[in-house]
């Protein structure tokens, strides 16, 4: 959206749900989205592609979307749209050890979970840039000046940050003064779990002979979840090889957080072979460290997760409103 009209801007605001990008900025040149540090869409809804066959993909972060009865109503239009476009499909493959609450419904994304993010970025019509690390945000003449690790600072009217809380708190510049001491303390107390994910890509025709599409593991110090990812997404094909993803336990990730990815990958693979002996050799592997994986609700307060989630959402909206209050009457 190079020349963002009020109409296109409203459209973008309405279309972009949470979980879509790192920054959504409206500037003199139209709307711009800086979509994170990774070279592709998705953030923690990352989908990796095999360099040998781009049709072979694996979800390295989020695995499926759980629609609770509350969000079935609240976000009905989003679900209707994503289902109508075939971006989401009900999860029908067996996931062993999955805990389901009454009324919940799980969905997978046949093209990988990053296709949800991709869909909304496309719908927004905004210009999207990858591999930009924002380091500072300052207020200069009623505009937000965003500085990056590389390149010159740019000015925008509005900045919306969606990265994990600790990464927001690391930003330097005037943004730090936007947050009251009380809010900072609360934000600082938000804890995230960490995990590693290992994605494995196999040659076309490879058989992985297990009766499930996913399995939660409770008896291994390293491995928490394994999924035959293409089977989970119901996209088994004779031309595209299967893909598998392993998520580690949080204690394993915490222990090896600062180790080299190569070493960690080796450890995860050894454990996987002990759980699934005779597993075929993958043609490509991809190891991803998630330092900030999911908000750790138990560590924070011990209160019910619903209550804590509400508190966190309120804080996030508060910050957003505070930032919006800096918006001036301008041509946007
Ligand atoms: C291993 C794992 C499993 C998960 N499983 C599930 C699941 O099954 N179901 C589910 O619903 N959820 C799951 N989640 C959680 C889900 O992925 C996240 O809640 C969701 O993706 C968060 O989206 P977001 O846009 O808020 O944040 P993110 O996806 O984290 O987006 C933030 C973006 O900000 C970027 N960024 C950070 N710092 C900077 C900076 N300084 N400058 C520029 N960009 C920056 C990041 O690169 C990233 O692209 C899982 C997460 C992980 C890691």
């Amino acid at each position: 959206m190079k020349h963002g009209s009020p109409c296109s801007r409203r459209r973008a605001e309405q279309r972009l749900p949470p979980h879509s990008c790192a920054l959504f900025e409206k500037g003199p040149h139209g709307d711009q989205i800086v979509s994170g540090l990774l070279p592709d869409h998705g953030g923690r809804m990352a989908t990796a592609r095999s360099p040998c066959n781009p049709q072979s993909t694996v979800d390295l972060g989020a695995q499926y979307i759980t629609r609770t009865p509350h969000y079935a109503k609240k976000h009905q239009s989003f679900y209707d749209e994503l289902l109508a476009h075939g971006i989401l499909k009900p999860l029908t493959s067996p996931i062993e050890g999955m805990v389901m609450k009454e009324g919940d419904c799980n969905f997978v994304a046949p093209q990988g979970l990053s296709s949800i993010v991709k869909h909304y970025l496309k719908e927004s019509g905004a210009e999207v840039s990858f591999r930009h690390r924002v380091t500072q945000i300052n207020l200069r003449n009623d505009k937000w000046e965003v500085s990056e690790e590389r390149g010159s600072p740019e000015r925008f009217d509005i900045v919306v940050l969606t990265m994990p809380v600790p990464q927001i708190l690391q930003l330097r510049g005037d943004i730090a003064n936007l947050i009251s001491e009380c809010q900072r303390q609360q934000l600082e107390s938000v804890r995230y779990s960490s995990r590693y994910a290992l994605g494995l890509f196999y040659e076309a025709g490879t058989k992985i002979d297990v009766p499930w599409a996913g399995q939660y593991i409770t008896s291994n110090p390293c491995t928490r979840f394994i999924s035959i990812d293409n089977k989970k997404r119901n996209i088994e094909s004779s031309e595209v090889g299967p893909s598998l993803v392993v998520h580690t336990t949080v204690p394993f990730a915490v222990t090896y957080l600062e180790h080299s990815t190569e070493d960690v990958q080796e450890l995860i693979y050894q454990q996987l072979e002990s759980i699934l002996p005779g597993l075929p050799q993958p043609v490509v592997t991809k190891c991803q460290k998630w330092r900030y994986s999911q908000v750790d609700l138990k560590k924070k307060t011990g209160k019910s997760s619903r209550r804590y989630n509400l508190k966190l959402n309120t804080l996030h909206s508060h910050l957003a409103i505070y930032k919006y209050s800096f918006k001036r009457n301008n041509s946007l």
Side-chain angles (χ1 to χ4, degrees), residues 261-274:
T261 311
E262 292 74 27
D263 290 353
V264 174
Q265 170 165 327
E266 190 55 39
L267 290 173
I268 302 171
Y269 193 74
Q270 279 169 11
Q271 290 295 323
L272 179 66
E273 281 188 310
S274 74

Side-chain angles (χ1 to χ4, degrees), residues 19-20 22 36-37 43-45 61-64 132 134 162 167 293:
H19 306 330
S20 49
L37 309 171
R44 280 174 283 161
M45 289 186 176
Q63 295 295 300
Y64 49 85
H132 290 262
V134 174
T162 73
Q167 287 171 312
S293 176

Side-chain angles (χ1 to χ4, degrees), residues 18-23 34-38 42-45 60-66 113 132-135 162-164 167 171 195 197 216 247 290 292-294:
H19 306 330
S20 49
C21 57
L23 283 167
V34 176
S35 187
L37 309 171
L38 298 171
R44 280 174 283 161
M45 289 186 176
L60 289 178
Q63 295 295 300
Y64 49 85
I65 304 289
T66 303
L113 272 218
H132 290 262
R133 181 187 289 276
V134 174
T135 51
T162 73
M163 55 251 234
Q167 287 171 312
L171 293 175
R195 279 185 205 281
Y216 285 92
H247 282 172
W290 297 111
Y292 305 112
S293 176
Q294 285 133 299

Side-chain angles (χ1 to χ4, degrees), residues 82-133:
L82 293 171
L83 287 163
H85 281 83
I87 292 166
L88 285 187
K89 292 252 162 86
L91 167 65
T92 52
S93 320
I95 309 285
E96 287 184 1
M98 176 194 264
V99 180
M100 285 283 287
K101 291 201 188 119
E102 208 187 317
D104 285 2
C105 191
N106 292 315
F107 297 93
V108 287
Q111 300 309 311
L113 272 218
S114 72
S115 61
I116 302 175
V117 178
K118 224 176 266 182
H119 170 75
Y120 286 112
L121 290 177
K122 189 168 158 225
E123 287 281 293
S124 78
E127 186 189 310
V128 185
S129 322
F130 298 105
R131 290 186 191 267
H132 290 262
R133 181 187 289 276

Side-chain angles (χ1 to χ4, degrees), residues 25-72:
E25 307 171 335
K26 300 178 190 21
H29 310 298
D31 298 348
Q32 183 181 339
I33 292 172
V34 176
S35 187
L37 309 171
L38 298 171
D40 202 350
H41 316 78
R44 280 174 283 161
M45 289 186 176
T47 304
R49 277 176 201 284
S50 164
C52 301
N53 180 355
Q55 280 177 288
S56 182
T57 54
V58 70
D59 282 329
L60 289 178
Q63 295 295 300
Y64 49 85
I65 304 289
T66 303
R67 186 185 68 185
T68 61
H70 172 74
Y71 281 106

Side-chain angles (χ1 to χ4, degrees), residues 7 51 57 65 84 97 118 123 166 174 182 219 268 277 296 298 322 325:
C7 178
T57 54
I65 304 289
K118 224 176 266 182
E123 287 281 293
D174 295 333
C182 171
S219 54
I268 302 171
D296 189 342
K298 280 184 239 114
Y322 198 23
S325 72

